[in-house]
Amino acid sequence: MSKATDTERTGSFRPTGAPDLALDQSARSMMEPVDQLRELLSREIDGRPFTELSGVTFDHQGAELAGHVLLDTLEDAGYSVDDYDAVGALTAAAVPLADAMLHAAASRGQALNAFVMDFVYPSIKGPSIEGKRVILLDAWLSQKSYVQTSSLVTLRKGNELSLDCSIIRRQGAEPLAIASLVGGLGPEAAGGAGTGTANSTGGLGEPDGGLPTIQVVDTVDDSRASLPFICAFSEDQFNPGKDQEQ
């Protein structure tokens, strides 16, 4: 019988590829993760009024950063990983982000599941969320996603989001908040507060420490519920050209 390898003894993953292919971490370590991610997002958005951010979320560096920054942003807003059991992708653009958060949590020794909400064939794809506390997730959620795409998940009237909530209700899950990597609420949002401004950790909040909210309108029975809206970055930070929005 052969000797156990280091991987078998320690339970860690073995390195793959040639040693000279390993990433040089020195340059990255000079910047805070949120600043690294902001730079990647700036390059991806590059003045465009809207993008699904796939150039960042499917990038090996961008995905890792996004997972950790979203976890940190939620914690800064009062939602630690202990407070929710799963993150649910509202759109295809959010799927890599939900996966990134799952792996980021695992790297910290924390358990977090992910799932996808299918609005075409109303169902949940992923582990059961029965009785679970969930955070709903998108990549870029604002009125621009309504203007620029035919997504079923779009904001109207500044902060009104229409969703088939029966998908979650049938599972007996409890939605706690809606999060996005980039986002913004329109001036029609309650109090005209919009989305606030980014703080030093990249999180988004109101000046008085409160959180902006989204009015979720159930497309099945037209019932309404208010959920906190938590963004890692305000879309205003990237200064998309107003003339391109026309």
Side-chain angles (χ1 to χ4, degrees):
M1 183 178 294
S2 61
K3 292 183 179 180
T5 64
D6 289 340
T7 299
E8 292 170 333
R9 286 194 299 268
T10 64
S12 60
F13 296 108
R14 71 170 184 259
T16 58
D20 59 351
L21 292 179
L23 290 173
D24 179 6
Q25 301 292 330
S26 59
R28 286 177 54 188
S29 64
M30 299 298 292
M31 296 174 63
E32 290 293 326
V34 69
D35 295 324
Q36 297 176 50
L37 184 55
R38 183 184 291 109
E39 182 176 298
L40 291 176
L41 289 169
S42 294
R43 293 175 186 172
E44 172 73 3
I45 295 172
D46 192 25
R48 287 183 285 178
F50 179 78
T51 167
E52 292 188 333
L53 307 176
S54 56
V56 173
T57 60
F58 283 101
D59 175 79
H60 66 277
Q61 180 184 2
E64 179 185 13
L65 290 169
H68 284 284
V69 168
L70 282 167
L71 289 180
D72 292 344
T73 301
L74 283 166
E75 185 163 17
D76 290 341
Y79 298 90
S80 70
V81 178
D82 294 335
D83 296 322
Y84 54 97
D85 307 297
V87 289
L90 290 171
T91 62
V95 172
L97 288 173
D99 193 54
M101 292 180 68
L102 179 156
H103 290 291
S107 74
R108 303 179 181 192
Q110 299 168 312
L112 180 66
N113 283 338
F115 63 95
V116 180
M117 294 183 67
D118 186 339
F119 295 102
V120 179
Y121 302 99
S123 61
I124 296 293
K125 290 182 171 63
S128 171
I129 60 170
E130 183 176 359
K132 303 297 185 182
R133 304 159 300 171
V134 300
I135 300 288
L136 304 180
L137 180 67
D138 204 355
W140 186 336
L141 183 58
S142 76
Q143 289 195 109
K144 293 177 182 178
S145 63
Y146 171 62
V147 174
Q148 300 294 325
T149 74
S150 59
S151 171
L152 293 174
V153 179
T154 53
L155 284 176
R156 296 172 176 83
K157 300 179 182 178
N159 72 332
E160 188 174 283
L161 183 67
S162 296
L163 286 179
D164 182 354
C165 300
S166 66
I167 299 174
I168 299 176
R169 191 163 51 240
R170 284 197 302 267
Q171 297 278 333
E174 178 189 2
L176 302 178
I178 297 175
S180 66
L181 186 58
V182 175
L185 299 183
E188 301 89 341
T195 53
T197 55
N199 59 34
S200 60
T201 61
L204 208 61
E206 295 299 308
D208 62 0
L211 292 172
T213 59
I214 285 179
Q215 298 299 315
V216 179
V217 182
D218 194 325
T219 56
V220 175
D221 60 13
D222 205 35
S223 62
R224 293 171 176 258
S226 179
L227 288 178
F229 184 38
I230 303 163
C231 294
F233 299 94
S234 167
E235 62 188 5
D236 294 337
Q237 293 184 58
F238 304 104
N239 296 317
K242 296 296 182 182
D243 56 331
Q244 298 183 48
E245 297 178 27
Q246 306 300 322

